[in-house]
């Protein structure tokens, strides 16, 4: 019974494969003054290797989840609305394209690869102005509201904030990082997998700290447990709202988002050092919040009373007289990091959800033709080893 939707972070999948490929050494005579393009991915041979790598790894991942996946969505980035609405924040300004890579050819391979997936029933989703994270938020929200479970496939820990259980529909979202073999799930998920349907309510009243019920068929439970054990996956139960609250406080260096409090000071050695809310201090603030107000909810980030409370806790943790002037920073980080209906522009949400409604009309997933490199690339020159345009004579690609 394949009742999970596999939502793939397309950009993470593509670029995590690109950057592990071996780069061919060019002959010494091809120096900078040469007219020969020495950039990586400048040859058809390298493009073919990349294509085979994408197909091979995609098929490998699908074989792991083939028994629990009934729909596959492959999301792709576009230029982010965050850069347009918050230009002064320099969102992701620390990311620069490697000039030693032929990006036009990379994009050409990616476009062709996603077309192969589309032909086999994979939903390819891209919306102008939306990042892949926004699309994944939209898909998990829409599907969970319809009672459908989701597995987010990504190594991006920002997406762990979407781990969730929808009490009203008995649907959930979990996050899977294949590289680290980790699965982030909602609290109580593991114990619930061990309870067979039909058990009496009193047998599992104490599993969750909050009153909710997660109902999964025994067959699905067993398939999930098999997926976890077969792939030696480490399962971590998290409170997603507390996780993302901590990240909002500490900032995200990878996306060039500063801590809510970040001040450069001159240390005792005379060298400048940055005083900021570290990961450890952010967790301390979260702990203080819980002691005073109970379990944290992301909705508190839009409540004036709780925002003032958070600022007081920041002041206490960082030994500041007052942190009132940090309110704009708290609100900025919330808008940049939190995937929520109150942060993503309404017009963009409308476009994303309308697309999803259209995609859900039909599901023509051809799973059997996605389980091997050969089936994905069937009918193309990429699996013809004698094609001299894409391979080196006498060279085995994989």
């Amino acid at each position: 019974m394949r009742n999970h939707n596999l939502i793939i972070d397309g950009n993470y999948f593509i670029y995590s494969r690109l950057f592990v490929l071996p780069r061919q050494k060019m002959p010494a005579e091809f120096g900078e003054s040469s007219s020969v393009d020495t950039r990586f991915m400048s040859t058809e041979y390298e493009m073919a290797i990349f294509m085979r790598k994408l197909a091979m790894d995609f098929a490998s991942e699908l074989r792991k989840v083939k028994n629990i996946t009934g729909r596959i969505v492959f999301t792709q980035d576009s230029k982010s609305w965050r850069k347009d609405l918050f230009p002064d924040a320099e969102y992701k300004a620390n990311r620069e394209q490697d000039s030693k890579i032929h990006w036009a050819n990379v994009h050409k391979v990616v476009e062709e690869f996603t077309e192969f997936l589309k032909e086999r029933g994979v939903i390819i989703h891209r919306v102008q102005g939306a990042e892949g994270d926004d699309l994944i938020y939209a898909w998990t929200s829409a599907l969970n509201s319809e009672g459908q479970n989701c597995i987010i496939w990504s190594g991006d820990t920002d997406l762990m904030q979407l781990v969730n259980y929808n009490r009203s529909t008995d649907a959930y979202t979990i996050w899977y990082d294949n590289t680290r073999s980790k699965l982030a799930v909602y609290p109580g998920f593991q114990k619930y997998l061990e309870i067979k349907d039909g058990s009496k309510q009193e047998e599992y009243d104490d599993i969750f700290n909050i009153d909710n019920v997660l109902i999964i068929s025994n067959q699905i439970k067993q398939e999930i447990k098999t997926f976890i054990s077969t792939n030696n996956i480490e399962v971590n139960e998290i409170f997603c709202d507390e996780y993302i609250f901590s990240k909002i406080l500490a900032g995200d260096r990878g996306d060039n988002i500063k801590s809510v409090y970040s001040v450069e000071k001159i240390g005792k050695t005379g060298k400048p050092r940055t005083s900021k809310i570290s990961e450890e201090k952010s967790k301390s603030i979260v702990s203080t919040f819980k002691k005073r107000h109970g379990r944290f909810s992301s909705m508190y980030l839009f409540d004036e009373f709780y925002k003032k409370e958070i600022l007081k806790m920041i002041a206490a943790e960082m030994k500041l007289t007052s942190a009132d002037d940090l309110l704009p920073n708290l609100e900025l980080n919330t808008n940049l990091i939190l995937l929520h209906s109150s942060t993503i522009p309404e017009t963009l949400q409308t476009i994303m959800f309308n697309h999803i409604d259209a995609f859900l009309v039909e599901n023509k997933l051809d799973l059997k033709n996605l389980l091997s490199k050969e089936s994905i690339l069937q009918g193309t020159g990429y699996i013809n080893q004698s094609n001299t345009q894409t391979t080196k004579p006498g060279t085995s690609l994989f």
Side-chain angles (χ1 to χ4, degrees):
M1 185 183 296
R2 302 185 179 110
N3 80 330
H4 289 78
N5 297 273
L6 184 65
I7 316 297
I8 299 175
D9 180 352
N11 273 50
Y12 176 80
F13 174 80
I14 293 294
Y15 294 110
S16 61
R17 271 67 197 157
L18 175 66
F19 293 123
V20 298
L21 289 177
R23 303 196 182 190
Q24 303 297 316
K25 291 184 177 180
M26 291 294 181
E29 60 268 23
F30 293 156
E32 293 185 1
S33 60
S34 172
S35 60
V36 176
D37 193 339
T38 60
R39 290 176 296 173
F40 181 52
M41 297 295 292
S42 62
T43 67
E44 290 188 0
Y45 170 73
E46 290 172 323
M47 293 168 68
I49 289 180
F50 185 31
M51 178 65 81
R52 291 187 180 90
K53 176 65 173 173
L54 292 176
M56 181 175 67
D57 286 6
F58 191 88
S60 175
E61 289 305 311
L62 282 201
R63 289 196 296 272
K64 297 177 185 177
V65 297
K66 64 181 181 180
N67 292 329
I68 56 175
T69 301
R71 178 184 289 114
I72 302 172
V73 179
F74 191 93
T75 66
Q76 294 184 291
D77 273 353
S78 181
K79 181 185 177 182
S80 177
W81 60 270
R82 294 168 179 84
K83 292 185 177 182
D84 293 330
L85 287 187
F86 306 103
D88 294 337
E90 297 186 337
Y91 178 67
K92 294 187 177 180
N94 55 336
R95 300 187 183 184
E96 295 182 2
Q97 284 195 339
D98 187 343
S99 60
K100 295 181 179 180
I101 296 177
H102 195 306
W103 289 105
N105 283 351
V106 170
H107 298 151
K108 182 178 179 181
V109 173
V110 172
E111 183 177 353
E112 190 174 11
F113 174 70
T114 54
E115 190 60 33
F116 294 155
L117 299 185
K118 185 177 180 180
E119 291 171 357
R120 289 154 180 78
V122 175
I123 296 171
I124 309 299
H125 198 187
R126 182 176 184 178
V127 172
Q128 185 62 38
E131 293 185 62
D133 290 10
D134 299 318
L135 293 170
I136 293 172
Y137 153 78
W139 274 98
T140 56
S141 298
L143 291 169
N144 284 173
S145 69
E146 295 293 327
Q148 299 188 43
N149 300 322
C150 298
I151 300 175
I152 298 172
W153 189 102
S154 177
D156 183 355
T157 57
D158 287 352
L159 290 168
M160 287 171 62
Q161 65 178 289
L162 297 177
V163 170
N164 180 50
Y165 168 67
N166 187 320
R167 179 183 178 185
S168 63
T169 62
D170 292 326
Y172 58 81
T173 292
I174 55 182
W175 173 89
Y176 172 52
D177 178 355
N178 78 303
T179 303
R180 301 178 184 86
S181 295
K182 290 186 176 183
L183 189 70
V185 300
Y186 195 78
F189 184 82
Q190 294 180 87
K191 290 183 179 179
Y192 220 99
L193 288 179
E194 300 304 322
I195 298 175
K196 292 184 178 180
D197 290 345
S199 299
K200 295 180 180 180
Q201 178 71 38
E202 57 264 29
E203 293 179 6
Y204 50 88
D205 271 344
D206 294 331
I207 288 179
F208 295 104
N209 291 328
I210 59 176
D211 181 25
N212 58 21
V213 179
L214 179 61
I215 300 176
I216 318 171
S217 73
N218 291 327
Q219 182 180 354
I220 292 298
K221 289 180 181 179
Q222 186 55 52
E223 288 170 347
I224 295 171
K225 289 192 288 185
T226 300
F227 163 64
I228 292 170
S229 61
T230 301
N231 296 290
N232 298 314
I233 296 172
E234 175 187 336
V235 182
N236 297 302
E237 297 185 351
I238 67 168
F239 287 97
C240 59
D241 283 1
E242 292 178 4
Y243 169 81
I244 203 61
F245 178 33
S246 177
K247 193 149 194 174
I248 287 170
L249 293 170
D252 188 333
R253 186 169 63 179
D255 288 342
N256 200 40
I257 300 174
K258 294 182 179 179
S259 163
V260 171
Y261 172 75
S262 180
V263 176
E264 191 171 278
K265 298 180 178 179
I266 302 299
K268 295 179 180 180
T269 61
K271 295 182 179 180
R273 65 180 183 84
T274 301
S275 175
K276 63 180 181 179
I277 302 175
S278 63
E279 182 178 347
E280 181 179 353
K281 289 185 180 297
S282 69
K283 290 180 179 178
S284 176
I285 294 171
V286 172
S287 178
T288 300
F289 186 99
K290 288 167 61 179
K291 290 176 182 177
R292 295 183 184 178
H293 302 287
R295 186 68 63 192
F296 180 81
S297 167
S298 60
M299 291 304 298
Y300 295 157
L301 292 166
F302 307 100
D303 185 288
E304 295 306 316
F305 169 77
Y306 284 111
K307 284 193 283 187
K308 290 178 181 178
E309 286 292 288
I310 292 169
L311 293 176
K312 290 177 183 178
M313 295 174 202
I314 292 175
E317 183 68 33
M318 303 306 296
K319 297 179 172 55
L320 306 174
T321 304
S322 172
D324 291 347
D325 60 332
L326 299 179
L327 179 59
N329 296 352
L330 176 63
E331 293 176 336
L332 176 62
N333 280 16
T334 298
N335 281 308
L336 293 178
I337 296 174
L338 183 64
L339 298 169
H340 194 277
S341 60
S342 296
T343 58
I344 301 173
E346 187 175 349
T347 53
L348 185 59
Q349 291 187 62
T350 299
I351 294 171
M352 292 192 297
F353 286 119
N354 284 345
H355 281 197
I356 291 171
D357 288 341
F359 281 129
L360 292 180
V361 173
E362 293 185 28
N363 182 27
K364 298 181 178 180
L365 183 65
D366 183 9
L367 188 61
K368 68 179 184 299
N369 281 319
L370 289 165
L371 300 178
S372 71
K373 175 184 67 177
E374 289 74 20
S375 60
I376 292 175
L377 300 179
Q378 185 177 11
T380 74
Y382 293 108
I383 56 173
N384 182 357
Q385 293 294 322
S386 64
N387 189 331
T388 57
Q389 289 186 330
T390 57
T391 62
K392 285 183 177 180
T395 300
S396 175
L397 296 178
F398 293 104

